């Protein structure tokens, strides 16, 4: 295998996680469909038992614990984000659940950002609290002020930046510095940026989560999660993921690895198109605010510029007050910005959002309805035309 350590990120995205010379010259790694792994002797079987018990997880023992296909994808994302090893899960939420439960026990305290992904908030409310974990939500802008919220039993700080729906930036290095001093584990959801635009472990985070469902796979056709870990964090996360049954399917992992090869190119185009549309939206009378840290007047822009290498195609918009009929007239008839959850695929999407329902540390106030747009890879002129026609329908419905 070639030594990848000297190469830049765009090259790594193409060459990490495959070994043609060890695979009959075939460019892509094979797909292992596997439950059973055969051991030639009792001695070798016992070796894999010791490997598993020690938490090393070097060998392959059973499909649930991963195959060479799983390992290829884990190695590729680890090479891109920097880290020791990664753990693949059945979806992004699985990676979040496995990472949180790896480090939290009854009686522990979790500090978690108020602007986090809704289903992750629901996991804290519906499951972690039930199992005796204390949960405190912190405002995304808190930075080093998080120190005031630490308790003697604080074990984990969870970050998502920019946050889901409202896209507020968090000062990651300011938080991880304090956590390192106290031995508190930090977990970050990096799905918005993808490994191309931000590397959490290089900013002091212990576990970086990507919903590979989104940009990494990039084609809106699979569910997968991955958690990249420091050496100290790897064994707890791997044990918890395997022990809870969070494993990925071989064909989905193969397709995610295939998507990864074009991720650097796709991210550039998503950012270009999103920036153009966001600037256009800022000039529209129907728009109160655009929420996108790549815009120079966004409150999170300074942090984004300091720490990030790029932006994705996902951003928020707050409209001025309008009626529900007007809002529906706009969204019901879009040609390209179709109405649907998820994002990160090649196509554009829009969805109404209700951020104030998901806040407890800080109130979220907006003059009108909120939307989340995903700028896909279509021609940006066509996307703007679609929006222009949407605003015309909104005006007509008044
Ligand atoms: C979609 C998403 C997830 C969850 O990923 P799934 O694969 O859908 O479970 C986690 N975090 C963020 C920010 C997301 O947008």
């Amino acid at each position: 295998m070639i030594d990848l350590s000297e190469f830049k990120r765009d090259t790594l995205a193409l060459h990490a996680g495959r070994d043609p010379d060890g695979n009959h010259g075939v460019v892509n790694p094979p797909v292992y469909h596997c439950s059973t792994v055969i051991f030639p002797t009792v001695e070798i079987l016992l070796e894999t038992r010791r490997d598993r018990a020690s938490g090393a997880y070097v060998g392959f023992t059973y499909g649930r614990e991963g195959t060479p296909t799983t390992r290829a994808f884990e190695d590729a994302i680890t090479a891109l984000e920097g880290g020791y090893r990664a753990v693949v899960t059945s979806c992004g939420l699985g990676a979040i659940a496995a990472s949180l439960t790896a480090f939290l026990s009854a009686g522990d305290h979790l500090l978690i950002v108020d602007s986090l992904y809704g289903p992750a908030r629901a996991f804290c409310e519906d499951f972690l609290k039930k199992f005796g974990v204390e949960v405190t939500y912190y405002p995304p802008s808190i930075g080093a002020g998080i120190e005031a919220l630490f308790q003697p039993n604080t074990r984990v700080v969870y970050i998502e930046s920019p946050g889901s729906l409202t896209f507020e930036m968090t000062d990651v290095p300011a938080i991880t510095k304090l956590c390192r001093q106290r031995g508190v584990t930090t977990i970050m959801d990096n799905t918005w940026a993808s490994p191309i635009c931000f590397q959490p472990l290089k900013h002091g985070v212990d576990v970086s989560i990507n919903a590979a469902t989104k940009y990494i796979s990039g084609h809106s056709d699979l569910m997968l999660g991955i958690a990249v870990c420091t050496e100290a964090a790897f064994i707890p996360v791997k044990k918890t993921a395997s022990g809870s049954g969070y494993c990925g399917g071989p064909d989905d992992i193969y397709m995610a690895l295939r998507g990864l090869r074009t991720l650097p190119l796709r991210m550039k185009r998503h950012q270009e198109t999103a920036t153009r549309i966001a600037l256009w939206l800022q000039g529209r009378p129907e728009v109160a605010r655009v929420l996108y840290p790549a815009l120079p007047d966004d409150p999170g822009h300074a942090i984004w510029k300091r720490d990030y290498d790029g932006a994705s195609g996902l951003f928020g918009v707050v409209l001025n007050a309008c009626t529900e009929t007007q809002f529906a007239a706009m969204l019901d008839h879009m040609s390209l910005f179709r109405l649907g959850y998820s994002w990160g695929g090649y196509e554009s999407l829009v969805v109404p959002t209700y951020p104030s329902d998901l806040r407890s540390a800080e109130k979220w106030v907006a003059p009108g309805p909120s939307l989340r747009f995903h700028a896909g890879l279509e021609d940006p002129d066509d996307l703007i035309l679609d929006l222009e026609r949407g605003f015309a329908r909104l005006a007509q419905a008044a």
Side-chain angles (χ1 to χ4, degrees):
M1 261 210 257
I2 47 170
D3 174 19
L4 294 172
S5 59
E6 60 179 332
F7 295 122
K8 295 197 163 62
R9 209 167 304 132
D10 286 10
T11 308
L12 286 180
L14 299 182
H15 290 274
R18 61 191 188 87
D19 177 23
D21 298 329
N23 178 34
H24 314 286
V26 175
V27 170
N28 290 297
V31 184
Y32 286 87
H33 287 97
C34 156
S35 54
T36 302
V37 175
I38 302 290
F39 307 106
T41 63
V42 172
E43 193 192 338
I44 291 171
L45 181 145
L46 290 175
E47 216 173 89
T48 64
R49 277 174 65 93
R50 281 192 296 274
D51 172 50
R52 196 184 176 287
S54 75
Y57 293 99
V58 174
F60 299 104
T61 51
Y62 186 55
R64 188 175 56 224
E65 290 178 0
T67 69
T69 309
T70 321
R71 192 67 57 80
F73 183 53
E74 290 169 347
D75 288 350
I77 303 297
T78 304
L80 280 171
E81 288 208 349
Y84 173 68
R85 274 180 64 182
V87 180
V88 163
T89 53
S90 45
C91 65
L93 187 59
I96 294 169
S99 302
L100 285 168
T101 50
F103 299 102
L104 290 165
S105 306
D108 288 347
H109 176 231
L110 164 68
L111 275 169
I112 194 155
V113 69
D114 203 21
S115 51
L116 89 155
Y117 178 61
R121 174 183 281 262
F123 179 75
C124 295
E125 293 297 310
D126 300 344
F127 298 101
L128 289 184
K129 284 189 175 174
K130 184 169 89 174
F131 290 102
V133 175
E134 211 184 319
V135 183
T136 303
Y137 296 89
Y138 67 84
S141 60
I142 198 163
I146 202 164
E147 193 158 23
L149 298 181
F150 280 118
Q151 299 177 184
N153 59 339
T154 304
R155 293 279 169 273
V156 173
V157 172
Y158 185 100
I159 305 166
E160 186 185 324
S161 179
S164 282
L165 312 187
T166 54
F167 301 92
E168 293 145 289
M169 294 294 295
T170 294
D171 190 336
V172 176
I175 290 178
T176 56
K177 191 172 156 215
L178 290 166
C179 291
R180 286 272 155 115
Q181 285 164 3
R182 289 165 182 264
V184 169
T185 299
T186 47
I187 302 171
M188 176 168 178
D189 186 329
N190 196 38
T191 306
W192 180 87
S194 91
I196 302 303
C197 301
F198 189 65
Q199 294 75 47
L201 271 63
K202 292 185 181 151
H203 293 84
V205 170
D206 297 303
V207 179
S208 163
I209 291 163
N210 273 278
T213 308
K214 311 285 169 61
Y215 282 118
I216 293 175
S217 68
H219 294 72
S220 307
D221 53 4
L222 65 87
M223 308 290 301
L224 212 58
I226 186 158
V228 182
C229 304
T230 58
E231 188 166 359
F234 172 70
I235 289 173
V237 175
K238 176 68 188 169
K239 272 201 158 142
T240 310
S242 283
S244 311
Y246 300 121
C247 61
D251 294 312
D252 290 342
I253 295 171
Y254 178 83
M255 293 214 288
L257 203 46
R258 194 181 206 257
L260 175 69
R261 306 308 180 195
T262 54
L263 182 64
L265 269 174
R266 289 188 281 112
M267 292 308 284
K268 280 192 191 82
R269 173 68 177 247
H270 283 300
Q271 177 177 352
E272 266 170 38
T273 302
T275 303
R276 194 165 148 217
I277 293 173
L279 288 169
W280 181 83
L281 285 166
Q282 278 189 322
R284 292 291 311 194
E286 301 88 349
V287 172
R289 263 184 81 191
V290 179
L291 315 168
Y292 188 47
L295 292 179
D297 54 357
D298 187 274
H301 186 70
I303 290 176
W304 173 78
K305 209 166 167 176
R306 185 192 67 193
D307 295 341
Y308 284 58
D309 298 321
S312 72
L314 193 74
F315 60 92
V317 169
V318 179
L319 297 183
N320 288 315
C322 65
T323 65
E324 272 181 35
T325 314
Q326 283 182 294
F327 191 58
M330 175 182 181
L331 294 187
D332 284 352
H333 305 283
M334 301 298 282
S335 305
L336 300 175
F337 281 102
R338 299 304 303 272
L339 206 53
Y341 290 113
S342 200
W343 43 272
Y346 53 83
E347 84 289 12
S348 291
L349 289 169
V350 64
V351 78
T353 60
Y354 306 92
S356 51
D357 294 356
L358 295 171
R359 297 296 278 241
S360 53
E362 225 175 31
K363 251 189 146 65
W364 175 261
V365 279
S370 302
L371 301 163
R372 185 185 69 193
F373 285 100
H374 179 246
L377 304 176
E378 296 93 340
D379 189 306
D381 289 340
D382 293 336
L383 294 175
I384 286 176
L385 183 65
D386 200 29
L387 291 170
E388 216 161 26
R389 288 178 175 159
F391 283 133
R393 286 191 302 274
L394 184 145
Q396 244 165 21

